[in-house]
Structure formats: C-alpha cells, structure tokens
mmCIF file of all heavy atoms in Angstrom:
data_model
loop_
_atom_site.group_PDB
_atom_site.id
_atom_site.type_symbol
_atom_site.label_atom_id
_atom_site.label_comp_id
_atom_site.label_asym_id
_atom_site.label_seq_id
_atom_site.Cartn_x
_atom_site.Cartn_y
_atom_site.Cartn_z
ATOM 1 N N THR A 73 96.150 94.774 85.745
ATOM 2 C CA THR A 73 95.881 96.199 85.827
ATOM 3 C C THR A 73 96.461 96.710 87.139
ATOM 4 O O THR A 73 96.104 96.201 88.211
ATOM 5 C CB THR A 73 94.374 96.496 85.768
ATOM 6 O OG1 THR A 73 93.856 96.019 84.515
ATOM 7 C CG2 THR A 73 94.115 97.984 85.886
ATOM 8 N N VAL A 74 97.340 97.701 87.064
ATOM 9 C CA VAL A 74 98.021 98.230 88.243
ATOM 10 C C VAL A 74 97.715 99.720 88.336
ATOM 11 O O VAL A 74 97.898 100.454 87.368
ATOM 12 C CB VAL A 74 99.542 98.001 88.183
ATOM 13 C CG1 VAL A 74 100.199 98.433 89.493
ATOM 14 C CG2 VAL A 74 99.856 96.545 87.881
ATOM 15 N N SER A 75 97.243 100.149 89.496
ATOM 16 C CA SER A 75 96.922 101.554 89.699
ATOM 17 C C SER A 75 98.085 102.276 90.370
ATOM 18 O O SER A 75 98.719 101.735 91.281
ATOM 19 C CB SER A 75 95.667 101.684 90.570
ATOM 20 O OG SER A 75 95.462 103.013 90.961
ATOM 21 N N LEU A 76 98.352 103.486 89.915
ATOM 22 C CA LEU A 76 99.402 104.301 90.528
ATOM 23 C C LEU A 76 99.053 104.661 91.975
ATOM 24 O O LEU A 76 99.938 104.884 92.795
ATOM 25 C CB LEU A 76 99.614 105.575 89.709
ATOM 26 C CG LEU A 76 100.278 105.393 88.338
ATOM 27 C CD1 LEU A 76 100.135 106.659 87.511
ATOM 28 C CD2 LEU A 76 101.741 105.025 88.486
ATOM 29 N N SER A 77 97.752 104.693 92.285
ATOM 30 C CA SER A 77 97.329 105.081 93.636
ATOM 31 C C SER A 77 96.802 103.904 94.454
ATOM 32 O O SER A 77 96.425 104.080 95.604
ATOM 33 C CB SER A 77 96.233 106.147 93.546
ATOM 34 O OG SER A 77 95.128 105.667 92.801
ATOM 35 N N ARG A 78 96.764 102.719 93.878
ATOM 36 C CA ARG A 78 96.216 101.554 94.572
ATOM 37 C C ARG A 78 97.123 101.164 95.726
ATOM 38 O O ARG A 78 98.348 101.122 95.576
ATOM 39 C CB ARG A 78 96.077 100.390 93.587
ATOM 40 C CG ARG A 78 95.229 99.241 94.094
ATOM 41 C CD ARG A 78 95.052 98.203 92.998
ATOM 42 N NE ARG A 78 94.212 97.094 93.428
ATOM 43 C CZ ARG A 78 93.912 96.054 92.663
ATOM 44 N NH1 ARG A 78 94.382 95.996 91.427
ATOM 45 N NH2 ARG A 78 93.139 95.079 93.112
ATOM 46 N N PRO A 79 96.534 100.845 96.895
ATOM 47 C CA PRO A 79 97.383 100.589 98.067
ATOM 48 C C PRO A 79 98.096 99.248 98.062
ATOM 49 O O PRO A 79 99.017 99.040 98.845
ATOM 50 C CB PRO A 79 96.380 100.652 99.229
ATOM 51 C CG PRO A 79 95.072 100.296 98.621
ATOM 52 C CD PRO A 79 95.103 100.850 97.238
ATOM 53 N N PHE A 80 97.702 98.315 97.181
ATOM 54 C CA PHE A 80 98.289 96.976 97.201
ATOM 55 C C PHE A 80 99.289 96.785 96.067
ATOM 56 O O PHE A 80 99.101 97.261 94.955
ATOM 57 C CB PHE A 80 97.199 95.910 97.072
ATOM 58 C CG PHE A 80 96.266 95.855 98.239
ATOM 59 C CD1 PHE A 80 95.027 96.468 98.182
ATOM 60 C CD2 PHE A 80 96.623 95.198 99.402
ATOM 61 C CE1 PHE A 80 94.152 96.426 99.256
ATOM 62 C CE2 PHE A 80 95.758 95.143 100.488
ATOM 63 C CZ PHE A 80 94.526 95.760 100.415
ATOM 64 N N ALA A 81 100.348 96.061 96.382
ATOM 65 C CA ALA A 81 101.319 95.679 95.357
ATOM 66 C C ALA A 81 100.734 94.564 94.497
ATOM 67 O O ALA A 81 99.987 93.713 94.976
ATOM 68 C CB ALA A 81 102.616 95.220 96.005
ATOM 69 N N VAL A 82 101.093 94.563 93.213
ATOM 70 C CA VAL A 82 100.668 93.524 92.271
ATOM 71 C C VAL A 82 101.896 92.736 91.842
ATOM 72 O O VAL A 82 102.935 93.321 91.511
ATOM 73 C CB VAL A 82 99.967 94.141 91.045
ATOM 74 C CG1 VAL A 82 99.645 93.070 90.006
ATOM 75 C CG2 VAL A 82 98.693 94.860 91.470
ATOM 76 N N ALA A 83 101.777 91.407 91.855
ATOM 77 C CA ALA A 83 102.914 90.555 91.525
ATOM 78 C C ALA A 83 102.475 89.432 90.588
ATOM 79 O O ALA A 83 101.340 88.946 90.664
ATOM 80 C CB ALA A 83 103.541 89.964 92.785
ATOM 81 N N ILE A 84 103.377 89.023 89.712
ATOM 82 C CA ILE A 84 103.120 87.923 88.784
ATOM 83 C C ILE A 84 103.530 86.612 89.440
ATOM 84 O O ILE A 84 104.665 86.457 89.885
ATOM 85 C CB ILE A 84 103.913 88.122 87.471
ATOM 86 C CG1 ILE A 84 103.480 89.429 86.796
ATOM 87 C CG2 ILE A 84 103.718 86.935 86.536
ATOM 88 C CD1 ILE A 84 104.312 89.794 85.579
ATOM 89 N N ARG A 85 102.587 85.684 89.526
ATOM 90 C CA ARG A 85 102.862 84.349 90.050
ATOM 91 C C ARG A 85 102.486 83.341 88.956
ATOM 92 O O ARG A 85 101.323 82.949 88.826
ATOM 93 C CB ARG A 85 102.077 84.087 91.334
ATOM 94 C CG ARG A 85 102.364 85.087 92.452
ATOM 95 C CD ARG A 85 101.806 84.628 93.793
ATOM 96 N NE ARG A 85 100.422 84.205 93.701
ATOM 97 C CZ ARG A 85 99.373 85.033 93.724
ATOM 98 N NH1 ARG A 85 99.588 86.352 93.824
ATOM 99 N NH2 ARG A 85 98.147 84.582 93.648
ATOM 100 N N PRO A 86 103.463 82.886 88.149
ATOM 101 C CA PRO A 86 103.151 82.000 87.014
ATOM 102 C C PRO A 86 102.603 80.650 87.472
ATOM 103 O O PRO A 86 102.803 80.216 88.610
ATOM 104 C CB PRO A 86 104.507 81.829 86.322
ATOM 105 C CG PRO A 86 105.385 82.913 86.870
ATOM 106 C CD PRO A 86 104.893 83.180 88.252
ATOM 107 N N LEU A 87 101.943 79.987 86.550
ATOM 108 C CA LEU A 87 101.431 78.640 86.780
ATOM 109 C C LEU A 87 102.215 77.635 85.946
ATOM 110 O O LEU A 87 102.570 77.921 84.793
ATOM 111 C CB LEU A 87 99.950 78.549 86.399
ATOM 112 C CG LEU A 87 98.970 79.324 87.284
ATOM 113 C CD1 LEU A 87 97.602 79.370 86.625
ATOM 114 C CD2 LEU A 87 98.874 78.687 88.654
ATOM 115 N N VAL A 88 102.480 76.472 86.523
ATOM 116 C CA VAL A 88 103.105 75.380 85.774
ATOM 117 C C VAL A 88 102.240 74.132 85.888
ATOM 118 O O VAL A 88 101.653 73.856 86.939
ATOM 119 C CB VAL A 88 104.538 75.064 86.266
ATOM 120 C CG1 VAL A 88 105.467 76.231 85.997
ATOM 121 C CG2 VAL A 88 104.550 74.696 87.738
ATOM 122 N N ARG A 89 102.154 73.400 84.783
ATOM 123 C CA ARG A 89 101.499 72.097 84.773
ATOM 124 C C ARG A 89 102.587 71.038 84.639
ATOM 125 O O ARG A 89 103.505 71.177 83.834
ATOM 126 C CB ARG A 89 100.522 71.997 83.595
ATOM 127 C CG ARG A 89 99.804 70.671 83.482
ATOM 128 C CD ARG A 89 98.703 70.518 84.482
ATOM 129 N NE ARG A 89 97.562 71.396 84.202
ATOM 130 C CZ ARG A 89 96.473 71.428 84.951
ATOM 131 N NH1 ARG A 89 96.383 70.661 86.042
ATOM 132 N NH2 ARG A 89 95.480 72.251 84.673
ATOM 133 N N HIS A 90 102.496 69.998 85.466
ATOM 134 C CA HIS A 90 103.501 68.955 85.460
ATOM 135 C C HIS A 90 103.065 67.760 84.609
ATOM 136 O O HIS A 90 101.909 67.656 84.202
ATOM 137 C CB HIS A 90 103.789 68.481 86.891
ATOM 138 C CG HIS A 90 104.390 69.540 87.749
ATOM 139 N ND1 HIS A 90 103.882 69.886 88.983
ATOM 140 C CD2 HIS A 90 105.460 70.357 87.561
ATOM 141 C CE1 HIS A 90 104.617 70.849 89.516
ATOM 142 N NE2 HIS A 90 105.572 71.157 88.672
ATOM 143 N N ARG A 91 103.992 66.859 84.404
ATOM 144 C CA ARG A 91 103.756 65.683 83.564
ATOM 145 C C ARG A 91 102.620 64.815 84.095
ATOM 146 O O ARG A 91 101.923 64.150 83.326
ATOM 147 C CB ARG A 91 105.057 64.867 83.481
ATOM 148 C CG ARG A 91 105.033 63.681 82.524
ATOM 149 C CD ARG A 91 106.444 63.159 82.361
ATOM 150 N NE ARG A 91 106.503 62.019 81.471
ATOM 151 C CZ ARG A 91 106.742 60.779 81.870
ATOM 152 N NH1 ARG A 91 106.934 60.529 83.161
ATOM 153 N NH2 ARG A 91 106.802 59.791 81.003
ATOM 154 N N ASP A 92 102.430 64.821 85.427
ATOM 155 C CA ASP A 92 101.342 64.021 86.007
ATOM 156 C C ASP A 92 100.052 64.825 86.136
ATOM 157 O O ASP A 92 99.158 64.441 86.882
ATOM 158 C CB ASP A 92 101.767 63.457 87.360
ATOM 159 C CG ASP A 92 102.032 64.554 88.392
ATOM 160 O OD1 ASP A 92 102.041 65.747 88.005
ATOM 161 O OD2 ASP A 92 102.233 64.232 89.575
ATOM 162 N N TYR A 93 99.962 65.960 85.407
ATOM 163 C CA TYR A 93 98.794 66.829 85.337
ATOM 164 C C TYR A 93 98.648 67.750 86.554
ATOM 165 O O TYR A 93 97.747 68.595 86.573
ATOM 166 C CB TYR A 93 97.483 66.043 85.152
ATOM 167 C CG TYR A 93 97.436 65.238 83.887
ATOM 168 C CD1 TYR A 93 97.519 63.852 83.936
ATOM 169 C CD2 TYR A 93 97.307 65.847 82.645
ATOM 170 C CE1 TYR A 93 97.476 63.082 82.783
ATOM 171 C CE2 TYR A 93 97.267 65.093 81.479
ATOM 172 C CZ TYR A 93 97.358 63.705 81.560
ATOM 173 O OH TYR A 93 97.316 62.963 80.402
ATOM 174 N N THR A 94 99.461 67.597 87.583
ATOM 175 C CA THR A 94 99.322 68.465 88.749
ATOM 176 C C THR A 94 99.652 69.908 88.382
ATOM 177 O O THR A 94 100.427 70.184 87.461
ATOM 178 C CB THR A 94 100.223 68.005 89.903
ATOM 179 O OG1 THR A 94 101.576 67.905 89.449
ATOM 180 C CG2 THR A 94 99.765 66.662 90.443
ATOM 181 N N LEU A 95 99.051 70.826 89.140
ATOM 182 C CA LEU A 95 99.146 72.258 88.875
ATOM 183 C C LEU A 95 99.844 72.926 90.042
ATOM 184 O O LEU A 95 99.605 72.587 91.195
ATOM 185 C CB LEU A 95 97.747 72.833 88.689
ATOM 186 C CG LEU A 95 97.594 74.267 88.198
ATOM 187 C CD1 LEU A 95 98.158 74.418 86.800
ATOM 188 C CD2 LEU A 95 96.109 74.651 88.227
ATOM 189 N N CYS A 96 100.709 73.900 89.749
ATOM 190 C CA CYS A 96 101.437 74.586 90.812
ATOM 191 C C CYS A 96 101.559 76.065 90.467
ATOM 192 O O CYS A 96 101.847 76.421 89.316
ATOM 193 C CB CYS A 96 102.822 73.967 90.998
ATOM 194 S SG CYS A 96 103.824 74.752 92.284
ATOM 195 N N GLU A 97 101.326 76.914 91.460
ATOM 196 C CA GLU A 97 101.531 78.349 91.307
ATOM 197 C C GLU A 97 102.893 78.693 91.871
ATOM 198 O O GLU A 97 103.172 78.421 93.040
ATOM 199 C CB GLU A 97 100.425 79.104 92.044
ATOM 200 C CG GLU A 97 100.493 80.603 91.873
ATOM 201 C CD GLU A 97 99.345 81.292 92.587
ATOM 202 O OE1 GLU A 97 99.367 81.347 93.828
ATOM 203 O OE2 GLU A 97 98.425 81.763 91.901
ATOM 204 N N LEU A 98 103.753 79.272 91.046
ATOM 205 C CA LEU A 98 105.113 79.569 91.483
ATOM 206 C C LEU A 98 105.124 80.832 92.326
ATOM 207 O O LEU A 98 104.676 81.888 91.884
ATOM 208 C CB LEU A 98 106.042 79.729 90.276
ATOM 209 C CG LEU A 98 106.144 78.516 89.340
ATOM 210 C CD1 LEU A 98 107.194 78.782 88.261
ATOM 211 C CD2 LEU A 98 106.473 77.248 90.105
ATOM 212 N N ASN A 99 105.645 80.719 93.537
ATOM 213 C CA ASN A 99 105.768 81.888 94.394
ATOM 214 C C ASN A 99 107.240 82.268 94.534
ATOM 215 O O ASN A 99 108.114 81.726 93.855
ATOM 216 C CB ASN A 99 105.123 81.622 95.763
ATOM 217 C CG ASN A 99 105.760 80.452 96.495
ATOM 218 O OD1 ASN A 99 106.951 80.194 96.357
ATOM 219 N ND2 ASN A 99 104.970 79.737 97.281
ATOM 220 N N TYR A 100 107.498 83.194 95.418
ATOM 221 C CA TYR A 100 108.859 83.711 95.598
ATOM 222 C C TYR A 100 109.869 82.608 95.884
ATOM 223 O O TYR A 100 111.006 82.666 95.434
ATOM 224 C CB TYR A 100 108.860 84.730 96.739
ATOM 225 C CG TYR A 100 110.222 85.278 97.086
ATOM 226 C CD1 TYR A 100 110.853 86.183 96.239
ATOM 227 C CD2 TYR A 100 110.867 84.886 98.242
ATOM 228 C CE1 TYR A 100 112.099 86.688 96.552
ATOM 229 C CE2 TYR A 100 112.114 85.383 98.566
ATOM 230 C CZ TYR A 100 112.735 86.286 97.712
ATOM 231 O OH TYR A 100 113.973 86.776 98.019
ATOM 232 N N LEU A 101 109.452 81.567 96.603
ATOM 233 C CA LEU A 101 110.374 80.503 96.989
ATOM 234 C C LEU A 101 110.695 79.552 95.843
ATOM 235 O O LEU A 101 111.713 78.865 95.872
ATOM 236 C CB LEU A 101 109.783 79.710 98.162
ATOM 237 C CG LEU A 101 109.489 80.508 99.427
ATOM 238 C CD1 LEU A 101 108.789 79.640 100.458
ATOM 239 C CD2 LEU A 101 110.782 81.081 100.010
ATOM 240 N N SER A 102 109.830 79.487 94.832
ATOM 241 C CA SER A 102 110.032 78.513 93.753
ATOM 242 C C SER A 102 110.399 79.137 92.412
ATOM 243 O O SER A 102 110.704 78.415 91.462
ATOM 244 C CB SER A 102 108.771 77.659 93.589
ATOM 245 O OG SER A 102 107.622 78.468 93.411
ATOM 246 N N LEU A 103 110.391 80.466 92.312
ATOM 247 C CA LEU A 103 110.761 81.103 91.052
ATOM 248 C C LEU A 103 112.203 80.770 90.664
ATOM 249 O O LEU A 103 112.499 80.424 89.513
ATOM 250 C CB LEU A 103 110.584 82.622 91.147
ATOM 251 C CG LEU A 103 109.148 83.143 91.225
ATOM 252 C CD1 LEU A 103 109.146 84.647 91.466
ATOM 253 C CD2 LEU A 103 108.383 82.808 89.948
ATOM 254 N N ALA A 104 113.104 80.858 91.639
ATOM 255 C CA ALA A 104 114.515 80.573 91.350
ATOM 256 C C ALA A 104 114.725 79.116 90.998
ATOM 257 O O ALA A 104 115.530 78.779 90.113
ATOM 258 C CB ALA A 104 115.376 80.956 92.559
ATOM 259 N N THR A 105 113.985 78.220 91.660
ATOM 260 C CA THR A 105 114.110 76.786 91.381
ATOM 261 C C THR A 105 113.799 76.477 89.928
ATOM 262 O O THR A 105 114.455 75.628 89.305
ATOM 263 C CB THR A 105 113.157 75.988 92.292
ATOM 264 O OG1 THR A 105 113.459 76.279 93.653
ATOM 265 C CG2 THR A 105 113.289 74.496 92.048
ATOM 266 N N HIS A 106 112.811 77.161 89.378
ATOM 267 C CA HIS A 106 112.417 76.930 87.982
ATOM 268 C C HIS A 106 113.106 77.886 87.011
ATOM 269 O O HIS A 106 112.769 77.889 85.822
ATOM 270 C CB HIS A 106 110.905 77.053 87.846
ATOM 271 C CG HIS A 106 110.150 75.907 88.436
ATOM 272 N ND1 HIS A 106 109.856 74.750 87.738
ATOM 273 C CD2 HIS A 106 109.642 75.710 89.677
ATOM 274 C CE1 HIS A 106 109.192 73.920 88.509
ATOM 275 N NE2 HIS A 106 109.051 74.475 89.696
ATOM 276 N N GLY A 107 114.034 78.699 87.493
ATOM 277 C CA GLY A 107 114.759 79.602 86.616
ATOM 278 C C GLY A 107 113.880 80.627 85.939
ATOM 279 O O GLY A 107 114.066 80.937 84.751
ATOM 280 N N VAL A 108 112.921 81.186 86.679
ATOM 281 C CA VAL A 108 111.979 82.145 86.098
ATOM 282 C C VAL A 108 112.549 83.550 86.163
ATOM 283 O O VAL A 108 113.107 83.962 87.190
ATOM 284 C CB VAL A 108 110.624 82.095 86.836
ATOM 285 C CG1 VAL A 108 109.674 83.160 86.295
ATOM 286 C CG2 VAL A 108 109.997 80.716 86.694
ATOM 287 N N TYR A 109 112.447 84.282 85.058
ATOM 288 C CA TYR A 109 112.807 85.695 85.084
ATOM 289 C C TYR A 109 111.801 86.496 84.263
ATOM 290 O O TYR A 109 111.095 85.963 83.405
ATOM 291 C CB TYR A 109 114.236 85.932 84.591
ATOM 292 C CG TYR A 109 114.516 85.572 83.159
ATOM 293 C CD1 TYR A 109 114.393 86.515 82.130
ATOM 294 C CD2 TYR A 109 114.935 84.289 82.806
ATOM 295 C CE1 TYR A 109 114.664 86.196 80.820
ATOM 296 C CE2 TYR A 109 115.221 83.959 81.493
ATOM 297 C CZ TYR A 109 115.078 84.913 80.509
ATOM 298 O OH TYR A 109 115.336 84.592 79.204
ATOM 299 N N PHE A 110 111.724 87.800 84.586
ATOM 300 C CA PHE A 110 110.710 88.685 84.022
ATOM 301 C C PHE A 110 111.386 89.818 83.244
ATOM 302 O O PHE A 110 112.435 90.318 83.637
ATOM 303 C CB PHE A 110 109.846 89.286 85.137
ATOM 304 C CG PHE A 110 109.238 88.264 86.054
ATOM 305 C CD1 PHE A 110 109.906 87.870 87.210
ATOM 306 C CD2 PHE A 110 108.012 87.697 85.780
ATOM 307 C CE1 PHE A 110 109.350 86.942 88.074
ATOM 308 C CE2 PHE A 110 107.452 86.765 86.625
ATOM 309 C CZ PHE A 110 108.117 86.380 87.774
ATOM 310 N N GLU A 111 110.734 90.238 82.160
ATOM 311 C CA GLU A 111 111.266 91.324 81.336
ATOM 312 C C GLU A 111 110.119 92.194 80.842
ATOM 313 O O GLU A 111 109.188 91.708 80.194
ATOM 314 C CB GLU A 111 112.032 90.749 80.144
ATOM 315 C CG GLU A 111 112.631 91.803 79.227
ATOM 316 C CD GLU A 111 113.303 91.197 78.023
ATOM 317 O OE1 GLU A 111 113.210 89.961 77.852
ATOM 318 O OE2 GLU A 111 113.908 91.961 77.240
ATOM 319 N N THR A 112 110.165 93.491 81.189
ATOM 320 C CA THR A 112 109.148 94.406 80.705
ATOM 321 C C THR A 112 109.563 94.968 79.352
ATOM 322 O O THR A 112 110.752 95.210 79.096
ATOM 323 C CB THR A 112 108.913 95.556 81.701
ATOM 324 O OG1 THR A 112 107.900 96.424 81.180
ATOM 325 C CG2 THR A 112 110.183 96.356 81.929
ATOM 326 N N MET A 113 108.584 95.172 78.477
ATOM 327 C CA MET A 113 108.854 95.657 77.143
ATOM 328 C C MET A 113 108.943 97.184 77.080
ATOM 329 O O MET A 113 109.370 97.737 76.068
ATOM 330 C CB MET A 113 107.775 95.174 76.167
ATOM 331 C CG MET A 113 107.651 93.660 76.051
ATOM 332 S SD MET A 113 109.126 92.874 75.321
ATOM 333 C CE MET A 113 109.914 92.190 76.791
#
C-alpha cells in the first residue's frame, strides 16, 4: 500500500530460498546479480 502523501518511499525487496534452505532478501546490491526486473501492469 503506497500513499500519495506518505513521506517514505516504498520498495520491493524479493525473497529467495536457496537449495540449502537458507533465506535471503534481495536488496539493491543483489538484484542485478539475480537478474531481477520489475514490471507494472
């Protein structure tokens, strides 16, 4: 939920689960490494 008047920016940080069950939240530094891209409908 994003407000037109809300003072904070909202960003999508996807989650990935690895083969060894470890969990990672992808941030700006790792989005490109995993080839992540976003598309609004």
Side-chain angles (χ1 to χ4, degrees):
T73 299
V74 186
S75 170
L76 289 167
S77 58
R78 194 175 182 181
F80 294 99
V82 175
I84 299 173
R85 302 192 311 278
L87 292 168
V88 295
R89 179 76 70 180
H90 295 128
R91 186 169 180 251
D92 64 351
Y93 299 108
T94 54
L95 189 64
C96 179
E97 184 178 73
L98 301 185
N99 60 32
Y100 176 73
L101 301 175
S102 54
L103 290 174
T105 302
H106 287 273
V108 176
Y109 64 92
F110 306 91
E111 180 184 5
T112 180
M113 300 294 103

